[in-house]
Amino acid sequence: MSSERAVAINAVLKASQLCQQVFRHLIDGETITKSDRTPVTVADLGAQAVVNEILHNSFPDDVIIGEEDSKILRGEDGKQLREKVLSLANTVLDTPLDDEKLLEAIDRGSHPGGTQGRMWTLDPIDGTEGFIRGDQFAVCLALIIDGHVQLGVMGCPNFPVDHKTPEGEKGCLFVAVKGQGSFQRKFTSAEETQIRMTDISSPSDASFCESVVASHSSHEDSAKIAALLGVTKPAIRMDSQCKYCSVARGDADIYLRLTRGDYLENIWDHASGSLLIQEAGGIVSDIYSKPLDFSLGRKLDNNKGVIVAHPKIHSQVIDAVQKVSLNK
């Protein structure tokens, strides 16, 4: 995985750089409103174009499962937006794209997924609301081989290098390869540090990490589960797969994503984060304690919710989750 690891790191760093440029020039200074998501669209599509192009140049036979497509950029109606995306993508790519190559790069992410072969999955901006606020978001890339995640890389431009000094240096890259451990490095240095989850034996000593906005995950249920487990520490709330990063390096101990109704998770929202946790010593499952199944296409069709915890307390967390979630 050394070649794949290096290419993925390069792609994620360049996409993160693009996203930072978009924020500085198109969002900072309150230039974005709720009705104008153009900067988000530019960053999403630009980041996907950059990552997909870099992957294709190195591994032309690999398929990609990405969140975005190029429909909004096509034709005369999409010309203005297309020019913005193209300009930004070309600021970070070594070989510039033209219009057609840009659209082609973005649409390489249209693969349906499946059980066999090599496939990359990408979320160019995970945590849109965090991105807009200047809080946490992540560029998330994973390599899946025969349905199993083998490599995960996450770029977190606003993530503190040390959670104890949240106003200090920001910009972290997280990398995990199956069987090789989980690592963190700064955006500004290639030096990597191995990370591990906190070795915790009692849920009452734990802290939760959960989403800022309860769009698909219930804060009310999380509070009930915390009470059952005796958790008294305040929850850490942040957007995106940065939650996986926070738990993997020991900032928090439990991550709950308790989905509502028949909502199905996208594989790009959990592939890289789940491997990071596993390689940092944790367990990732759904609410029924089943492993996440990335072999069924673009969705986690066989799973409901996501539970992350240390092996010593995972079963207790599952019991509490089921008491709350299954007894409604």
Side-chain angles (χ1 to χ4, degrees):
M1 284 288 146
S2 59
S3 177
E4 289 89 346
R5 193 183 195 274
V7 170
I9 286 173
N10 178 48
V12 169
L13 283 174
K14 286 186 180 298
S16 298
Q17 180 184 342
L18 180 148
C19 292
Q20 289 174 302
Q21 287 188 47
V22 172
F23 184 83
R24 284 195 300 268
H25 299 300
L26 297 180
I27 296 178
D28 201 15
E30 301 181 355
T31 60
I32 188 171
T33 66
K34 290 183 179 180
S35 62
D36 177 18
R37 292 302 181 99
T38 299
V40 179
T41 305
V42 169
D44 265 319
L45 295 173
Q48 179 151 317
V50 166
V51 173
N52 287 0
E53 183 68 7
I54 292 172
L55 291 178
H56 180 70
N57 288 339
S58 296
F59 310 109
D61 295 329
D62 289 359
V63 300
I64 304 170
I65 305 163
E67 184 175 17
E68 307 299 337
D69 62 59
S70 71
K71 290 177 184 176
I72 196 172
L73 300 182
R74 293 185 176 271
E76 192 61 31
D77 290 344
K79 182 179 179 181
Q80 186 176 7
L81 187 59
R82 184 171 68 246
E83 289 174 348
K84 289 181 180 179
V85 174
L86 180 64
S87 175
L88 275 161
N90 284 339
T91 64
V92 298
L93 286 170
D94 295 331
T95 303
L97 303 174
D98 58 24
D99 278 19
E100 279 308 309
K101 288 188 179 297
L102 173 77
L103 301 177
E104 182 181 315
I106 293 169
D107 286 338
R108 287 195 190 102
S110 63
H111 195 273
T115 58
Q116 295 182 331
R118 287 167 54 105
M119 55 196 74
W120 298 84
T121 186
L122 167 69
D123 192 340
I125 293 185
D126 185 32
T128 300
E129 298 301 326
F131 175 65
I132 292 172
R133 292 194 308 269
D135 291 333
Q136 299 309 324
F137 73 96
V139 178
C140 303
L141 179 64
L143 175 60
I144 300 170
I145 302 178
D146 297 334
H148 300 282
V149 185
Q150 300 296 318
L151 165 68
V153 177
M154 284 180 282
C156 309
N158 296 329
F159 206 67
V161 171
D162 182 351
H163 80 282
K164 295 177 182 178
T165 55
E167 300 307 316
E169 184 178 358
K170 294 180 173 65
C172 296
L173 192 81
F174 293 87
V175 185
V177 175
K178 186 72 172 177
Q180 297 181 23
S182 292
F183 295 85
Q184 173 185 328
R185 53 166 278 190
K186 303 176 184 178
F187 274 16
T188 56
S189 170
E191 182 180 352
E192 296 184 0
T193 302
Q194 188 166 8
I195 56 174
R196 298 282 298 177
M197 286 185 64
T198 301
D199 187 358
I200 188 170
S201 57
S202 172
S204 61
D205 295 328
S207 60
F208 277 26
C209 193
E210 58 189 26
S211 300
V212 175
V213 180
S215 55
H216 296 300
S217 187
S218 172
H219 287 167
E220 181 181 352
D221 285 352
S222 293
K224 293 177 181 177
I225 293 163
L228 284 174
L229 293 171
V231 174
T232 57
K233 295 178 182 178
I236 298 172
R237 290 183 175 172
M238 65 180 68
D239 301 278
S240 82
Q241 284 188 66
C242 287
K243 292 183 286 294
Y244 281 111
C245 303
S246 182
V247 174
R249 73 177 187 182
D251 302 354
D253 307 293
I254 299 170
Y255 167 33
L256 303 180
R257 185 166 169 85
L258 307 174
T259 50
R260 295 168 170 171
D262 57 358
Y263 178 80
L264 293 174
E265 299 284 354
N266 302 304
I267 66 169
W268 52 77
D269 286 327
H270 299 282
S272 52
S274 65
L275 181 63
L276 188 77
I277 289 291
Q278 290 163 16
E279 290 300 310
I283 295 179
V284 183
S285 74
D286 68 4
I287 68 169
Y288 301 105
S289 207
K290 294 192 301 182
L292 303 188
D293 188 347
F294 294 96
S295 69
L296 301 175
R298 297 170 71 88
K299 300 279 187 178
L300 295 175
D301 288 332
N302 270 354
N303 299 113
K304 181 172 179 59
V306 178
I307 310 298
V308 175
H310 192 279
K312 291 180 181 178
I313 64 171
H314 185 267
S315 61
Q316 296 172 71
V317 176
I318 289 287
D319 289 344
V321 167
Q322 291 184 357
K323 284 178 182 178
V324 171
S325 299
L326 303 183
N327 292 326
K328 288 186 174 182

